[in-house]
Amino acid sequence: MKSTSLNTQLLINGDRLNQTISRLAEIGKLPDGGVKRIAYSQEDIVARNLVQNWMQEAGMTIKIDPAGNIIGRYPGKYPEAPALATGSHIDTVPCGGYYDGTYGVLAGIEIARVFRENHIFPNHPFEVIVFTDEEGSMIGSKAISGRVIKDPNYYRRPDGTDIFSCLEKIGGNWDNIAQARRSSKDIAAFVELHVEQGPILESMGKQIGVVEGIVGQRRFNITVKGSANHAGTTPMHLRKDALVAAAKVVLAVNQIGNTPGQQVATVGKMQLLPNAANVVPGWVEMSLDIRDLSSLHIDSLLQQLRLHLEEIAVETNTQIRLNPALHNEPALAEDYIQNAIAKVSEDVQLSYTYLPSRASHDAQELAQITDMGMIFVPSELGVSHSASEYTSPQQCIDGANVLLRTLLRLDATKSPTNHMPSGIL
Amino acid sequence: MKSTSLNTQLLINGDRLNQTISRLAEIGKLPDGGVKRIAYSQEDIVARNLVQNWMQEAGMTIKIDPAGNIIGRYPGKYPEAPALATGSHIDTVPCGGYYDGTYGVLAGIEIARVFRENHIFPNHPFEVIVFTDEEGSMIGSKAISGRVIKDPNYYRRPDGTDIFSCLEKIGGNWDNIAQARRSSKDIAAFVELHVEQGPILESMGKQIGVVEGIVGQRRFNITVKGSANHAGTTPMHLRKDALVAAAKVVLAVNQIGNTPGQQVATVGKMQLLPNAANVVPGWVEMSLDIRDLSSLHIDSLLQQLRLHLEEIAVETNTQIRLNPALHNEPALAEDYIQNAIAKVSEDVQLSYTYLPSRASHDAQELAQITDMGMIFVPSELGVSHSASEYTSPQQCIDGANVLLRTLLRLDATKSPTNHMPSGIL
């Protein structure tokens, strides 16, 4: 085994990493250049097999847990120590790109290859985890955090397929899914490398994103009840126009989103009734999606919004209701992991910035059971979930090197017999 | 023939009028108390036959013109004089009430009955016209104004039935429809009596509405092009949110509607793309409906709105287009007919107010060819096109008396050999 001082000069093989990214994108490739590799599909299974081959070639042993997660494990110097883990997913949205998820998995495998060819054994075992169905139910990472919903019907696929047969296809087993749960006793820390899927790094000209956490998300269904009436014969002052009220709600939400802070707030969906050119709208239903790293901040914004909605209801003579539809708490990245990523970026002379992840990631589930960190690389024009998703080969290499060195830094500073951070970074 | 001084004491038979309203409502009555008597339907044909019987009993001769309009004619003292005409329609919306259209027709027939039983022959022949398909194409009154569209496909029914067979069923003939056209040479004036279908008379506590004209209507399709983006990863300041822009448009339209004046302005219809809770809306399409008695005023409001839309587009980084979809010019009621209605209302001690009609009526087509006036009676709560449409028996009687006396006043003041108003009222 080489010394830590040597390890810090270690770099991944960039060409090899990028070749595997291109190779995996062949599986499920669409005519427009996008990739369709839906979880549990034939394409997903082919890709899972290829990834397992690559893991084995990189010297990893493989375990499929009951949730179908692929856990590739590279041995550590202290086999009983909790693992340092990375990973992501290789399933895609129906028309996805090359990088979302895949990049984090393949960078992890590349790191194992580098360990193997340099005869490096870190103190902690090193794991690369391929999480099941990130783009859908996130059942893989939820099984690891012990947060799978008990009702199997919840996991039925849009095409009607049940979760039993889905998991069976990929080597999992619904009945034993509780056994997939892990804890900080066997994962000392989890660091996920991912494309940003947003425009911030590119717009700031930064190479690396040190993720502060994955934002909490609340979703609501807002209903506005007015009174449908003839758009000709009903004078303006006698109207209860649900759309006028809804328009004020949209602007109130936008105003909340634009107050100082890192929150985003969106009305993305709206339906009117009766939705006819010659009828004053009597009913509007719309979505509200609000995200921030701080749950308290979201609470405070929602409190402001509620007051605003009450005023709008009075002003417009309508009834407005805010009905909760989703509540995800923020998942914060550990400070010491953020610091490690930042210092490693400085070491390798890559510019970086701190930013929240406003999209969901498997890392948010891992944060429930262990110390979590995330590294972002830029997405061209912020585009994702699209055939035109793009991160350059060099950007892919940079992120993988930061992941490699962050893991080595954590390995060196975390005690293999005590998973708490040493505090000396 | 009785003298004019006697005629001014004349009243309609209120019970008889209200009985015919109830009787006609039996044809097409729905379980909820509403009425379904769609143009050209079996119910419409049964009702048309009943109305023709009543016309004949009232001493009228009947003609069906090529558009299927029923023209009942009561003889005047000067048979060659242009007629004084009233009328409306007996077809209904799919779930209509007792009064919309029907009331005006039956009040006209009641007036003929009063003439007949009092041996009155006005100077001008008196016509009651039942216009074809007012609730749909308005083909009846448009044929009389010579504004039928030449392409028969335009008049195809929603169920696919062609206009040829529809007109044939009711005694009309598409091929000769141009011959239905009339002019001021044979209709000296047209006065329509109708329920208001709006809340103004009731809210002002007035018994009679002197209609100033039927508002002009412009309809537009407004499109907003923004940029669809991830509602999580796209920071607020980098968004081109088409719904935020659309909300500002809705409020700008509402503001235009609420400036001093009698206009109404409505966004009744809106569609979003992609319309998903987690996507910033990239595209919004909406309707704009704006109505006023003055075309110049509409132009000026639209000019204000256009400036506002340009500002909104710049503010929100979106593209906004205003595409014309419909353009109906206002149809003004003649001052001398408005005066006649007002003075008659004073004579019979009924309170009245001037107001525009913001709904369409056959009278707007008649205004294209002759002098037009309209009388409104209150609609309870302003409700119309509904089973709960209601105007009380006394209100029906009041309106019919005002129509009777207005026609007598016009008959006395208009020269039967010169259809221009005498100016002496």
Side-chain angles (χ1 to χ4, degrees):
Chain A
M1 190 190 142
K2 303 210 176 177
S3 74
T4 301
S5 59
L6 262 180
N7 288 351
T8 58
Q9 304 307 312
L10 219 55
L11 290 173
I12 59 113
N13 181 330
D15 287 346
R16 189 167 56 189
L17 169 64
N18 283 303
Q19 279 158 19
T20 59
I21 293 174
S22 298
R23 174 67 190 89
L24 204 64
E26 294 298 321
I27 305 171
K29 198 168 214 169
L30 297 168
D32 72 347
V35 180
K36 181 180 182 179
R37 207 163 50 229
I38 311 276
Y40 316 117
S41 68
Q42 195 50 44
E43 293 77 20
D44 187 34
I45 290 167
V46 171
R48 288 168 59 91
N49 290 338
L50 179 57
V51 162
Q52 289 176 60
N53 289 343
W54 284 339
M55 283 175 162
Q56 284 173 322
E57 286 167 16
M60 306 181 100
T61 55
I62 289 167
K63 185 186 152 188
I64 309 292
D65 76 9
N69 295 312
I70 304 170
I71 302 170
R73 189 171 171 108
Y74 184 88
K77 196 173 159 190
Y78 297 85
E80 300 304 316
L84 285 175
T86 188
S88 194
H89 60 97
I90 60 169
D91 67 311
T92 71
V93 292
C95 181
Y98 282 28
Y99 307 96
D100 179 358
T102 310
Y103 168 52
V105 168
L106 298 180
I109 297 173
E110 174 56 26
I111 287 167
R113 286 192 197 100
V114 172
F115 285 167
R116 182 186 174 93
E117 65 197 5
N118 289 281
H119 311 290
I120 293 168
F121 294 94
N123 291 330
H124 302 74
F126 169 58
E127 287 188 6
V128 177
I129 310 179
V130 181
F131 298 99
T132 301
D133 191 24
E134 194 271 351
E135 296 293 1
S137 64
M138 294 183 75
I139 195 171
S141 49
K142 281 182 190 290
I144 288 180
S145 69
R147 307 207 305 165
V148 164
I149 288 162
K150 288 195 167 52
D151 178 4
N153 288 315
Y154 181 85
Y155 294 99
R156 194 175 288 280
R157 306 291 294 171
D159 69 359
T161 322
D162 63 60
I163 189 64
F164 307 102
S165 57
C166 283
L167 290 183
E168 211 175 277
K169 271 203 257 183
I170 59 169
N173 181 345
W174 170 263
D175 294 331
N176 299 335
I177 202 154
Q179 297 168 21
R181 184 165 188 173
R182 299 184 68 178
S183 76
S184 59
K185 288 184 188 157
D186 62 348
I187 301 182
F190 177 81
V191 183
E192 183 169 353
L193 172 64
H194 206 282
V195 291
E196 182 196 339
Q197 302 182 277
I200 294 176
L201 293 179
E202 186 181 71
S203 68
M204 293 177 73
K206 301 292 185 183
Q207 293 161 299
I208 295 294
V210 182
V211 175
E212 299 165 297
I214 295 151
V215 296
Q217 183 184 9
R218 313 267 180 100
R219 211 174 271 175
F220 296 84
N221 187 30
I222 304 180
T223 59
V224 183
K225 189 183 168 198
S227 185
N229 253 313
H230 194 295
T233 61
T234 316
M236 301 305 289
H237 71 282
L238 293 178
R239 296 180 176 203
K240 298 177 180 178
D241 188 325
L243 182 60
V244 168
K248 288 174 187 260
V249 172
V250 168
L251 297 183
V253 167
N254 193 53
Q255 189 190 315
I256 294 290
N258 281 295
T259 52
Q262 292 203 300
Q263 71 284 337
V264 287
T266 310
V267 177
K269 196 172 170 184
M270 186 181 276
Q271 305 286 121
L272 281 66
L273 280 179
N275 206 30
N278 62 345
V279 184
V280 176
W283 175 266
V284 175
E285 200 166 338
M286 65 193 129
S287 62
L288 164 63
D289 181 293
I290 183 163
R291 309 186 193 199
D292 192 70
L293 266 187
S294 156
S295 210
L296 281 176
H297 186 53
I298 296 182
D299 286 341
S300 139
L301 293 173
L302 283 171
Q303 189 47 31
Q304 287 175 48
L305 183 64
R306 280 198 185 88
L307 292 174
H308 217 131
L309 297 190
E310 282 171 25
E311 288 166 17
I312 295 169
V314 170
E315 256 173 53
T316 57
N317 212 353
T318 58
Q319 291 167 36
I320 306 180
R321 300 255 175 285
L322 191 68
N323 309 303
L326 180 80
H327 187 134
N328 285 342
E329 285 294 318
L332 299 183
E334 293 294 330
D335 285 335
Y336 79 89
I337 304 182
Q338 293 185 50
N339 286 343
I341 298 166
K343 287 180 179 167
V344 157
S345 300
E346 276 172 18
D347 287 348
V348 292
Q349 296 182 301
L350 293 171
S351 60
Y352 66 92
T353 189
Y354 292 89
L355 82 177
S357 168
R358 295 198 187 87
S360 298
H361 293 290
D362 293 308
Q364 74 200 41
E365 290 300 321
L366 275 287
Q368 304 295 322
I369 55 150
T370 190
D371 297 344
M372 181 274 283
M374 271 197 93
I375 302 163
F376 274 172
V377 292
S379 293
E380 190 178 77
L381 298 172
V383 172
S384 186
H385 286 191
S386 158
S388 50
E389 176 184 80
Y390 184 71
T391 296
S392 76
Q394 187 56 51
Q395 290 169 326
C396 289
I397 293 167
D398 290 344
N401 277 322
V402 171
L403 176 62
L404 165 64
R405 286 158 178 264
T406 299
L407 289 167
L408 289 174
R409 193 172 180 107
L410 296 179
D411 187 55
T413 54
K414 284 178 85 82
S415 159
T417 54
N418 172 356
H419 69 279
M420 294 302 290
S422 68
I424 305 159
L425 296 175
Chain B
M1 189 188 140
K2 303 210 174 174
S3 75
T4 301
S5 59
L6 260 179
N7 288 352
T8 58
Q9 304 307 313
L10 218 57
L11 290 173
I12 59 111
N13 181 329
D15 287 346
R16 190 166 57 190
L17 170 63
N18 283 302
Q19 279 157 20
T20 59
I21 292 174
S22 297
R23 175 67 191 87
L24 204 64
E26 293 299 320
I27 305 171
K29 198 168 214 169
L30 296 168
D32 72 347
V35 179
K36 181 181 182 178
R37 207 164 51 227
I38 309 276
Y40 316 117
S41 66
Q42 195 50 43
E43 292 77 19
D44 186 35
I45 289 166
V46 171
R48 289 168 59 90
N49 289 337
L50 179 57
V51 162
Q52 288 177 60
N53 288 345
W54 284 339
M55 284 176 163
Q56 284 174 323
E57 286 166 17
M60 307 182 99
T61 56
I62 288 167
K63 184 187 153 188
I64 309 291
D65 76 10
N69 295 312
I70 304 171
I71 303 170
R73 189 173 171 106
Y74 184 88
K77 196 172 157 188
Y78 297 86
E80 299 306 314
L84 285 174
T86 188
S88 193
H89 60 97
I90 61 170
D91 67 310
T92 71
V93 293
C95 182
Y98 282 30
Y99 307 95
D100 178 358
T102 311
Y103 169 52
V105 168
L106 298 180
I109 297 173
E110 174 56 26
I111 287 167
R113 285 192 198 100
V114 173
F115 285 168
R116 183 189 173 92
E117 65 196 7
N118 290 281
H119 311 292
I120 293 168
F121 295 92
N123 291 330
H124 302 74
F126 169 58
E127 286 188 6
V128 177
I129 310 178
V130 181
F131 298 98
T132 301
D133 191 23
E134 194 270 350
E135 296 294 2
S137 63
M138 294 183 77
I139 195 171
S141 49
K142 280 182 190 290
I144 288 179
S145 70
R147 306 208 304 168
V148 164
I149 288 163
K150 289 194 167 52
D151 179 4
N153 288 315
Y154 180 85
Y155 294 98
R156 193 175 289 280
R157 306 290 296 170
D159 69 0
T161 321
D162 62 61
I163 189 65
F164 307 103
S165 58
C166 284
L167 290 182
E168 211 175 277
K169 270 204 258 182
I170 60 169
N173 180 343
W174 170 264
D175 295 331
N176 299 335
I177 202 154
Q179 297 167 21
R181 183 166 188 172
R182 300 184 69 179
S183 75
S184 59
K185 287 182 188 159
D186 63 349
I187 301 181
F190 176 82
V191 184
E192 183 169 354
L193 172 63
H194 206 282
V195 291
E196 183 197 338
Q197 302 182 277
I200 294 178
L201 293 178
E202 186 182 71
S203 69
M204 293 177 73
K206 300 292 184 181
Q207 293 162 299
I208 295 295
V210 181
V211 175
E212 300 165 296
I214 295 151
V215 296
Q217 183 183 7
R218 313 266 180 98
R219 211 173 273 175
F220 295 84
N221 187 30
I222 304 179
T223 59
V224 183
K225 189 183 168 197
S227 185
N229 254 313
H230 195 296
T233 60
T234 316
M236 301 304 290
H237 71 283
L238 293 179
R239 297 180 175 203
K240 298 178 180 179
D241 187 326
L243 182 59
V244 168
K248 288 174 186 259
V249 172
V250 169
L251 297 183
V253 168
N254 193 53
Q255 187 191 318
I256 294 289
N258 281 295
T259 52
Q262 292 202 299
Q263 71 284 337
V264 288
T266 310
V267 178
K269 197 173 169 182
M270 186 182 277
Q271 306 286 119
L272 282 64
L273 279 177
N275 206 31
N278 63 345
V279 184
V280 176
W283 175 265
V284 175
E285 201 164 338
M286 66 192 129
S287 62
L288 164 63
D289 180 294
I290 182 163
R291 307 186 194 199
D292 192 71
L293 267 188
S294 157
S295 210
L296 281 175
H297 185 52
I298 295 182
D299 285 340
S300 139
L301 294 172
L302 283 171
Q303 189 47 32
Q304 287 174 49
L305 183 64
R306 279 198 184 88
L307 292 173
H308 218 132
L309 297 190
E310 281 170 25
E311 288 166 17
I312 294 169
V314 170
E315 258 173 50
T316 56
N317 212 353
T318 58
Q319 291 168 34
I320 306 181
R321 300 254 175 285
L322 191 68
N323 309 303
L326 180 79
H327 186 134
N328 285 342
E329 283 294 317
L332 300 183
E334 293 294 329
D335 286 334
Y336 78 91
I337 304 181
Q338 294 184 50
N339 286 342
I341 298 166
K343 286 179 179 167
V344 158
S345 300
E346 277 172 18
D347 288 348
V348 293
Q349 295 180 302
L350 292 170
S351 60
Y352 66 91
T353 187
Y354 293 89
L355 82 176
S357 168
R358 294 199 187 86
S360 297
H361 294 290
D362 293 307
Q364 75 199 41
E365 289 301 320
L366 274 288
Q368 304 295 320
I369 56 150
T370 190
D371 296 346
M372 180 275 281
M374 270 198 94
I375 302 163
F376 274 172
V377 291
S379 293
E380 191 178 76
L381 298 173
V383 172
S384 187
H385 286 190
S386 158
S388 52
E389 177 183 80
Y390 185 71
T391 297
S392 75
Q394 188 57 50
Q395 290 169 325
C396 288
I397 293 168
D398 291 344
N401 278 323
V402 171
L403 176 61
L404 165 63
R405 285 157 179 264
T406 299
L407 290 167
L408 290 174
R409 194 172 179 107
L410 296 179
D411 186 55
T413 54
K414 284 178 87 82
S415 158
T417 54
N418 173 354
H419 69 278
M420 294 303 291
S422 68
I424 305 159
L425 297 174

